Amino acid sequence: MPVVNRIAGYAEEMKAWRRHLHQIPELALDLPKTAAFVAERLREFGVDELHEGIAQTGMVAIINGRGEGPTIGLRADMDALPIPEETGVDYASGHAGSMHACGHDGHTAMLLGAAKYLAETRNFKGRAALIFQPAEEAIGGARIMVEEGMMERFDIGEVYALHNAPGLPEGHFLTTPGALMAAVDTFHIHIQGVGGHGAMPQETRDPVMAACGMAQAIQTIVSRNHHTLEDLVVSVTQIHTGSTDNVIPDTAYINGTVRTFNPEVQKMVRRRMKEIVAGQAASYGVEAELDYEIGYPATFNDAEKTAFAVEVAKEIAGEGHVVPDGGREMGAEDFAYMLQARPGSYLFLGQGSTAGLHHPKYDFNDGIAPVGASFFARLVERAQPLGG
């Protein structure tokens, strides 16, 4: 069975929904226009319950099947990114400085397509809980929804999500059981020295040299402190200091990201970074403060639920178009919080050869929306079949 016929018939509607959402990108938890549009569509479809205001602008729609049964959760993220758009399309962002550069407009359209189908047909037992989530790109809207008791409130037993994947052939699926995406932490280092004339460095305590020393020493965490078989990335991504050629500044700032899978590796990185910052500060005669922020946890797919999701994906895309064990990557995803709360799986859906995610010329491929919507719908029908 390929794309569900009825959902294929929604293709133009899904395209229109997606392109409308593309024009109104909103950030983090503040998604009033997006949430209003999604809620209006869900009411039109005739969902049985619509619970708004979860994590500020998130919502959960409940669709009842025919007969008693468990509740399966399907999630789409809705937020955009603070990136000026350069696509040149006639439905480009109407909000200057923001755009849907990660395809969350498409994810939302796919879940709306599944919602319309499930509300019409109801060929399943139990309930489907459709989760429309804000703030995936920042803050962690999934964490907030879980902390607000969403899983318990709606008795969700398992949960699934999709993300589009530029570079993966159009309509193909890829996932892996177990660790799929990394935990992400952020570090900030604030260095306080004593500035002065560039020609008289002996009268200063130079924060520029201290920042260079710290940035280089931090790289030894990967090369000298961790086991080579444990995936780890430590990247210094910003150094800000100084304003002109003949002045040694008072301060410097370092920022970067850490990606891990193993909590013990994460602890080691945090410990070593504290030691390096303190040691380098002492050696250069400056003061330094490390602010190490624990971010999204690693995304772990339940093995059993992933095997089930792979079978559904093969039904939609075909046996040869699904990669069931595609390995893990160092990107991060806040759906990890939902997978910590309930078993489930996260899959990538190929959107072909397009600009990459978070690129100003990225645009979601509307051609894959019926594929994703069909996947969501068949997950529900196969997980909770009538007569099963």
Side-chain angles (χ1 to χ4, degrees):
M1 178 182 178
V3 169
V4 175
N5 285 337
R6 190 171 300 195
I7 292 176
Y10 304 158
E12 289 303 311
E13 276 186 283
M14 284 190 283
K15 179 191 292 187
W17 300 335
R18 204 280 297 182
R19 294 187 176 188
H20 173 76
L21 291 169
H22 192 86
Q23 295 177 71
I24 56 167
E26 297 172 302
L27 306 179
L29 297 171
D30 189 22
L31 315 180
K33 294 180 182 178
T34 302
F37 178 83
V38 170
E40 185 178 1
R41 300 288 80 70
L42 292 168
R43 290 190 179 96
E44 287 176 357
F45 303 158
V47 300
D48 296 289
E49 303 171 27
L50 181 58
H51 303 268
E52 300 175 77
I54 305 172
Q56 192 171 316
T57 50
M59 68 192 76
V60 175
I62 300 295
I63 301 174
N64 295 324
R66 306 179 195 179
E68 297 296 317
T71 301
I72 183 172
L74 309 173
R75 173 270 207 171
D77 39 17
M78 302 187 292
D79 58 319
L81 284 158
I83 298 174
E85 183 163 351
E86 298 178 6
T87 61
V89 297
D90 58 8
Y91 50 88
S93 169
H95 295 173
S98 298
M99 70 170 290
H100 273 291
C102 202
H104 296 186
D105 51 348
H107 302 168
T108 302
M110 290 192 294
L111 191 54
L112 284 173
K116 181 173 183 177
Y117 171 83
L118 292 169
E120 283 183 1
T121 58
R122 300 180 188 261
N123 292 323
F124 62 95
K125 294 191 302 184
R127 306 191 308 169
L130 282 62
I131 304 163
F132 292 89
Q133 179 210 307
E136 187 278 326
E137 298 290 357
I139 303 172
R143 172 185 57 79
I144 297 171
M145 295 185 91
V146 169
E147 289 176 351
E148 290 184 2
M150 176 185 68
M151 297 299 184
E152 296 79 12
R153 178 180 176 185
F154 303 110
D155 195 26
I156 297 171
E158 56 191 290
V159 64
Y160 298 87
L162 284 175
H163 201 295
N164 75 96
L168 186 66
E170 182 175 333
H172 290 210
F173 289 85
L174 182 147
T175 191
T176 199
L180 177 68
M181 301 181 78
V184 54
D185 300 336
T186 303
F187 61 89
H188 309 266
I189 303 170
H190 301 274
I191 303 169
Q192 178 67 57
V194 176
H197 201 295
M200 303 174 189
Q202 73 278 5
E203 296 178 2
T204 71
R205 286 181 284 159
D206 190 347
V208 178
M209 297 305 296
C212 292
M214 288 179 194
Q216 289 184 313
I218 283 169
Q219 297 307 306
T220 67
I221 296 174
V222 175
S223 65
R224 292 296 179 267
N225 297 131
H226 95 293
H227 196 289
T228 54
L229 298 182
E230 290 284 355
D231 290 342
L232 171 63
V233 171
V234 180
S235 292
V236 174
T237 56
Q238 296 187 74
I239 299 178
H240 297 286
T241 188
S243 59
T244 190
D245 64 293
N246 62 351
V247 176
I248 293 173
D250 284 315
T251 63
Y253 167 74
I254 302 172
N255 172 231
T257 188
V258 177
R259 306 298 172 109
T260 59
F261 287 98
N262 185 332
E264 292 305 312
V265 173
Q266 182 186 49
K267 290 177 184 177
M268 179 275 292
V269 172
R270 191 177 184 187
R271 173 181 58 80
R272 285 294 296 132
M273 198 168 291
K274 287 180 180 179
E275 293 168 351
I276 287 169
V277 169
Q280 292 288 317
S283 70
Y284 286 99
V286 299
E287 296 178 359
E289 178 183 352
L290 170 66
D291 179 12
Y292 191 100
E293 300 173 356
I294 302 293
Y296 298 169
T299 302
F300 280 90
N301 279 340
D302 179 85
E304 180 180 342
K305 303 303 182 186
T306 299
F308 167 66
V310 164
E311 290 307 308
V312 174
K314 288 178 179 178
E315 177 184 308
I316 301 300
E319 179 87 24
H321 295 165
V322 180
V323 180
D325 194 359
R328 56 194 191 180
E329 64 171 64
M330 303 310 285
E333 163 63 57
D334 80 340
F335 187 64
Y337 292 107
M338 294 192 188
L339 290 175
Q340 285 184 333
R342 293 293 186 272
S345 191
Y346 184 90
L347 296 87
F348 294 105
L349 173 58
Q351 82 148 26
S353 180
T354 68
L357 301 175
H358 295 206
H359 191 281
K361 293 186 178 179
Y362 168 87
D363 190 25
F364 180 83
N365 180 354
D366 290 306
I368 67 171
V371 180
S374 295
F375 171 78
F376 278 138
R378 288 297 291 153
L379 273 176
V380 176
E381 292 177 339
R382 287 194 54 178
Q384 299 164 189
L386 289 173

